[in-house]
Amino acid sequence: MVSRNNRPTPRVSSRQRGPQVDIPRGSARSSRSYGRPTQRFGAQGGYGSAQPRVSTVKVGSLAQGMRDERVHRTYRAHMAKAIVLLCLVAVLAATCFGVYWSSLFSIKQLTVSGVEHLTSEEMTQLANVPSDTTLLRVDTGAVKSGVMRDAWVADVDVQRVFPDTLNLNVTERKIGATVEVSVDEGQSLQTWAISEDGIWLCMIPEEGTEAASKISPKIYEDKANVLSIKDVAYGVKPEVGSQCSDESIINALEIVTGLTTELKDQVKTVSATSAENTTITLDSNVQIAFGSADDIRDKERVCLQIMADNPGTVSYINVRVVASPTWRTA
């Protein structure tokens, strides 16, 4: 009879035992690994196939790499667009250069608007547009300067009208009055047109003469509708395009352009021997010693009131001092 403690140990064959595991002496054995074989790994892997190596990458580094890649892609896209744009600009510049220096848009006609006192021939000469220029190459500043040389022209807008027309939109000065100027040592008179702003416009020749045929008929229409300044002192020398500097003429001009009531429609002539002695003659031959151009509205009112109070009998009124008017009846 064999006791439990002396029971023989069964033999296990090598096939049943599996691989032997050497456990160093003195090493600690955990309760979880006790009795379990430990696998060895050699250079080629110990037991079974080789296990893959796992490398670690930080999350921040991966995100930075993705951002760099996006930046590079965006940069390449922008560079491609910039190159395409530069090519288009170069082609456009070459095309514009060719068109600019070509005969395309050649000026075939010159038109003028806003002109009444200058003829077409005069405007063509003033503009002096080169025959070989185009709407693209024409020097509008030079054309404007040429047209502005004429005293009648207050302003001009040079307009390109494609495909072949250059238009001059002119703003003319208006005649404020005509002035009789003594010439030849007082032996003869010349009639000059003066603008509302005191610019000498032109000498008006006698109607029916050869000189009269060369100016615009509109000048003679204006002459008939504006007031005439007479009795100007000898020595006044008008010059086309210059500003009148004679005080008596300027004073008379301010009076005739400043009258606003029905008195203006009755004025026939203005005598301008001096500023203080400026005298107005009405169609009814009433003479008004108007004096300076000060207090024009008050002087008008006083003259009209005196004539209204003395209908048909007044022959002379003095309003040089508007606060103390005097008058004389026939």
Side-chain angles (χ1 to χ4, degrees):
M1 182 175 181
V2 181
S3 67
R4 179 180 300 177
N5 296 329
N6 296 324
R7 188 178 297 173
T9 302
R11 293 183 179 180
V12 180
S13 64
S14 60
R15 292 181 178 178
Q16 293 176 342
R17 281 183 293 185
Q20 294 181 357
V21 179
D22 294 333
I23 301 175
R25 293 180 179 180
S27 61
R29 300 180 179 178
S30 63
S31 60
R32 297 179 61 183
S33 62
Y34 181 76
R36 296 181 181 179
T38 302
Q39 297 182 353
R40 288 184 177 181
F41 300 92
Q44 300 296 328
Y47 180 78
S49 61
Q51 296 295 321
R53 293 183 179 180
V54 179
S55 60
T56 60
V57 179
K58 293 183 179 180
V59 176
S61 299
L62 180 60
Q64 181 63 38
M66 294 177 65
R67 285 195 296 269
D68 291 343
E69 180 62 23
R70 283 198 300 270
V71 170
H72 289 312
R73 284 200 303 267
T74 303
Y75 174 76
R76 289 193 295 270
H78 286 326
M79 286 298 297
K81 291 179 181 179
I83 293 172
V84 172
L85 181 60
L86 288 175
C87 292
L88 291 176
V89 171
V91 172
L92 181 61
T95 302
C96 292
F97 182 83
V99 171
Y100 181 83
W101 289 107
S102 71
S103 59
L104 191 64
F105 305 123
S106 295
I107 298 176
K108 297 180 180 178
Q109 59 180 342
L110 178 69
T111 58
V112 181
S113 57
V115 172
E116 292 182 320
H117 299 89
L118 294 171
T119 63
S120 299
E121 292 77 10
E122 289 172 327
M123 290 300 301
T124 301
Q125 293 176 0
L126 291 169
N128 194 27
V129 179
S131 59
D132 60 344
T133 191
T134 68
L135 290 177
L136 299 179
R137 298 200 306 269
V138 64
D139 188 348
T140 56
V143 173
K144 180 173 182 176
S145 297
V147 175
M148 290 289 291
R149 287 181 301 158
D150 195 277
W152 285 100
V153 180
D155 194 15
V156 60
D157 182 20
V158 182
Q159 302 169 336
R160 296 179 175 92
V161 183
F162 288 90
D164 57 10
T165 302
L166 190 69
N167 181 65
L168 305 178
N169 186 14
V170 178
T171 302
E172 284 190 327
R173 287 187 171 91
K174 296 181 180 180
I175 296 181
T178 60
V179 183
E180 290 187 354
V181 179
S182 298
V183 294
D184 299 331
E185 297 182 355
Q187 299 300 314
S188 60
L189 296 174
Q190 287 181 347
T191 302
W192 279 76
I194 189 171
S195 68
E196 294 178 343
D197 57 349
I199 300 295
W200 292 111
L201 297 175
C202 69
M203 194 272 288
I204 304 176
E206 291 286 340
E207 291 188 70
T209 63
E210 183 180 354
S213 64
K214 296 180 180 180
I215 66 175
S216 172
K218 177 64 176 175
I219 296 177
Y220 291 98
E221 293 180 19
D222 290 344
K223 177 186 176 183
N225 294 321
V226 297
L227 297 177
S228 176
I229 300 175
K230 301 178 182 293
D231 303 324
V232 175
Y234 176 74
V236 175
K237 296 180 179 179
E239 183 178 348
V240 174
S242 65
Q243 181 78 42
C244 177
S245 58
D246 186 84
E247 293 183 1
S248 61
I249 296 176
I250 294 300
N251 183 75
L253 183 63
E254 291 179 358
I255 292 173
V256 299
T257 57
L259 294 173
T260 58
T261 65
E262 62 267 27
L263 184 65
K264 183 175 183 178
D265 297 331
Q266 301 179 44
V267 177
K268 182 169 57 176
T269 61
V270 180
S271 176
T273 56
S274 68
E276 291 300 321
N277 293 321
T278 301
T279 301
I280 294 175
T281 302
L282 305 183
D283 292 330
S284 59
N285 292 323
V286 175
Q287 290 188 334
I288 302 175
F290 208 88
S292 69
D294 300 328
D295 304 319
I296 293 179
R297 302 291 181 274
D298 293 335
K299 291 179 179 181
E300 282 182 301
R301 177 180 53 79
V302 170
C303 290
L304 291 172
Q305 187 63 50
I306 291 173
M307 290 188 292
D309 294 341
N310 303 273
T313 62
V314 176
S315 60
Y316 176 82
I317 301 174
N318 187 339
V319 287
R320 290 191 184 97
V321 181
V322 68
S324 304
T326 60
W327 64 94
R328 183 171 62 241
T329 58

